[in-house]
């Protein structure tokens, strides 16, 4: 379809793959199907691109390990980004008369395809031949049969849904540990040690500001291998809704693959920042293993400049990964030793509970956590000074008007859920509450958008 893979990021993790990607024929509908896309190759992968006219304009092929090859055929090959860089791979012209420069056993499809995981697989793209069976590491073997991902949301005032589906409202401002993945020991290739074991530690902090505590900032940190201060930091605030990375000074980030390297120069993982429809920025958290990169989670953010943001964390890995999760969105009872949402008080809207999340609150300054000075200044400006009034009431007429606004956004297509009526009841109660608190229609829009991401 039109712009199917435009500005997407696709990574072929398995290694030793043979992949053919056809980016459309020279028709109006296929114009730009692979334009501005990034394709990352790992471990002796051969990629055969077919590019007609402007279907591959500014497409970039990157080689993250040695041995990969790219071939291109078609009139659009001249439009591929051939800029030199440490990971950029130049695509070679397909030799005359060679229909399969990567070999006969190849994953191919008649049109480019992408998915929300920004890492399409041959099977899900409907290829002519099945992909090789994935190599499952021994520590993953017991969990390889997982059937679904675990999803958590933070939206509005904020209203928080944990990875096991519990729902509550937090009525406090400040910085909180939203999600952390720590204690998992991975094995990574090392230039000096052969293979070495490394304890992983990813953290996500959020900052809720004002008497209505809407999310104003999110901070992603890598502190793997026992670091006290983060190796890499990725930050976004509702001031302008632009991701910024500290590498080593703070700079804007668009679509980029940020390697996470230790003192030996060995890669421990990556923050993969990618565009999606509507120019929203998503981040994939990747952990390095002896077999390549493994996806731990996707972080989706929907942000309105000058207002606030909503976020979703989608755990993509085997369910045993949940044992290593802490923070506000961790499964109930695992959020913190001895803590459960069962002790939270009823909010009074018939759907949600109130929790204080004291154990996840931090008194540290935003800069001490790893954030920027600019973000810290902005958060001080939007924070409420002194005690705030949290609960506001609507008149019956105002509530009815708020329900109309909320239902307008809910009416748009949403991914299938197990209990649509229950999801609608939660959304409506939270949405009406937020609008009555003065958030306006943007609260309904951002919450519906974050729930719409499957």
């Amino acid at each position: 379809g039109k712009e199917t893979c435009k500005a997407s990021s696709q990574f072929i993790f398995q290694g030793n793959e043979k992949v053919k990607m056809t980016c459309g024929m020279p028709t109006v509908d296929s114009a730009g199907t692979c334009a501005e896309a990034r394709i990352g190759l790992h471990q002796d992968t051969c990629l055969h691109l077919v590019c007609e006219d402007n279907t591959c304009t500014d497409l970039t092929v990157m080689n993250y390990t040695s041995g990969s090859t790219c071939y291109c055929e078609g009139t659009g090959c001249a439009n591929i980004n051939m800029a030199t860089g440490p990971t950029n791979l130049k695509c070679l012209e397909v030799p005359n008369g060679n229909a399969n420069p990567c070999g006969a056993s190849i994953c191919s499809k008649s049109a480019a395809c992408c998915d929300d995981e920004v890492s399409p697989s041959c099977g899900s793209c409907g290829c002519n031949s099945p992909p090789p069976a994935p190599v499952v590491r021994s520590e993953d073997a017991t969990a390889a049969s997982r059937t679904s991902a675990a999803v958590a949301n933070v939206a509005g005032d904020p209203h928080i849904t944990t990875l096991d589906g519990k729902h509550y409202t937090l009525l406090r401002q400040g910085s909180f540990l939203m999600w952390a993945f720590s204690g998992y020991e991975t094995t990574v290739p090392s230039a000096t040690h052969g293979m070495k074991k490394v304890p992983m530690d990813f953290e996500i902090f959020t900052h809720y500001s004002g008497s209505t505590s809407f999310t104003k900032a999110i901070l992603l940190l890598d502190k793997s291998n026992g670091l006290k201060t983060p190796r890499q930091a990725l930050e976004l605030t509702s001031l302008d809704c632009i991701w910024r990375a500290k590498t080593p000074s703070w700079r804007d980030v668009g679509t980029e693959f940020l390697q996470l390297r230790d003192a030996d120069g060995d890669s421990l993982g990556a923050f993969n920042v990618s565009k999606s429809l509507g120019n929203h920025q998503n981040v994939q958290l990747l952990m390095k293993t002896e077999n390549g990169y493994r996806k731990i989670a996707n972080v989706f953010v929907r942000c309105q400049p000058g207002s606030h943001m909503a976020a979703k964390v989608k755990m993509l890995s085997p369910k045993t990964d949940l044992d290593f999760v802490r923070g506000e969105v961790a499964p109930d009872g695992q959020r913190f030793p001895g803590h459960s949402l069962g002790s939270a008080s009823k909010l009074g809207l018939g759907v949600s509970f109130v929790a204080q999340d004291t154990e996840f609150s931090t008194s540290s300054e935003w800069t001490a956590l790893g954030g920027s000075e600019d973000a810290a200044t902005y958060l001080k400006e939007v924070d409420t000074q002194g005690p705030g009034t949290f609960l506001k009431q609507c008149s019956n007429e105002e509530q009815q008007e708020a329900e109309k606004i909320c239902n307008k956004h809910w009416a748009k297509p949403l991914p299938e859920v197990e209990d649509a009526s229950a999801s609608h009841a939660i959304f409506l109660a939270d949405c009406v509450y937020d609008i009555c608190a003065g958030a306006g229609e943007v609260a309904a829009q951002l919450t519906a958008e974050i729930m719409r991401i499957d």
Side-chain angles (χ1 to χ4, degrees), residues 117-375:
E117 313 300 343
V118 298
S119 180
S121 67
C122 294
S124 66
C125 290
C127 290
N128 297 329
S129 59
V135 178
V136 179
R137 298 178 291 116
S138 58
E139 58 263 45
D140 293 338
T142 59
S145 61
R146 74 174 179 92
T147 58
S148 62
V151 177
N153 296 326
V154 174
D157 196 8
H159 310 290
I160 298 172
T161 302
T162 65
L163 288 162
D164 59 347
K166 300 294 175 61
H167 188 74
Y168 71 100
T169 295
L170 175 69
L171 298 179
R172 292 180 60 196
Q173 75 172 5
S175 299
F176 292 79
L177 179 65
M178 171 191 166
W179 177 91
F181 179 80
S182 60
Y184 189 103
E185 192 172 73
T186 186
T187 302
V188 302
S190 171
T192 56
H193 305 290
M195 290 288 180
K196 65 182 180 183
K197 293 187 179 295
V198 176
M200 297 302 296
D201 190 356
F202 291 143
E203 293 180 343
I204 301 178
F205 284 91
T206 46
H207 189 91
Y208 314 121
S209 290
S211 60
T212 46
S213 308
F214 287 92
T215 309
K216 299 291 187 178
I218 187 168
L219 179 66
L220 281 63
L221 304 173
D222 169 43
K223 299 167 68 175
S224 300
N225 210 11
L227 291 184
K228 298 295 184 182
T229 57
R231 171 182 296 101
Q232 176 64 270
L234 192 61
E235 174 188 81
L236 182 144
T237 74
S238 57
L239 175 63
D240 54 14
C241 299
I242 296 175
W243 282 109
R244 292 182 173 85
K246 188 176 183 180
T247 57
S249 58
W250 288 96
R251 61 179 177 84
D252 294 357
V253 174
T255 296
E256 191 167 342
F257 192 85
L258 299 171
Q259 290 269 11
L260 309 175
R261 298 187 181 276
D262 64 9
D264 297 327
D266 300 324
S267 175
L268 307 183
F271 289 160
N272 176 32
V273 186
S274 62
K275 293 181 180 179
S276 66
L277 295 178
N279 289 323
H280 297 299
Q281 299 283 354
N282 307 322
V283 182
Q284 193 176 66
L285 307 185
L286 304 174
M287 177 180 71
K288 192 67 178 289
T289 74
E290 54 191 308
N291 297 314
Y293 289 96
R294 181 158 82 82
K295 296 176 283 187
I296 299 300
N298 272 346
V299 181
F300 303 94
V301 179
R302 297 296 176 261
C303 185
Q304 178 66 39
S307 182
H308 66 282
M309 67 184 73
K312 171 174 289 198
V313 175
K314 185 175 183 180
M315 299 282 292
L316 304 170
S317 306
K319 287 185 176 179
T320 51
D321 282 0
L322 293 178
D323 294 338
F324 300 93
V325 175
R326 299 176 293 112
E328 293 180 301
V329 301
D332 189 24
Q334 188 180 309
R335 290 156 35 92
F336 197 82
H339 178 81
S340 171
L341 282 174
S343 60
S345 59
K346 201 74 170 177
L347 179 60
L349 296 178
V351 176
S352 189
F353 289 86
V354 172
Q356 294 295 313
D357 281 359
T358 305
E359 63 276 29
F360 305 119
S361 175
T362 174
S363 58
S364 298
E365 294 289 334
W366 190 253
T367 52
L369 294 175
S372 69
E373 290 281 359
D374 288 345

Side-chain angles (χ1 to χ4, degrees), residues 18-21 106-110 122 125-129:
K18 301 175 181 179
V19 180
K20 183 176 182 180
M21 183 174 178
I106 195 167
C107 168
S108 64
K109 195 179 189 299
S110 59
C122 294
C125 290
C127 290
N128 297 329
S129 59

Side-chain angles (χ1 to χ4, degrees), residues 402-433:
E403 289 179 359
K404 289 179 182 179
I405 294 173
C406 296
N407 282 322
K408 179 179 73 172
H409 290 277
W410 178 266
K412 296 179 181 180
L414 288 169
E416 293 184 3
V417 293
E418 293 183 4
D419 190 340
S421 61
S423 296
H424 177 253
I426 292 173
F427 167 79
L428 187 60
D430 290 347
C431 180
V432 169
Y433 175 85

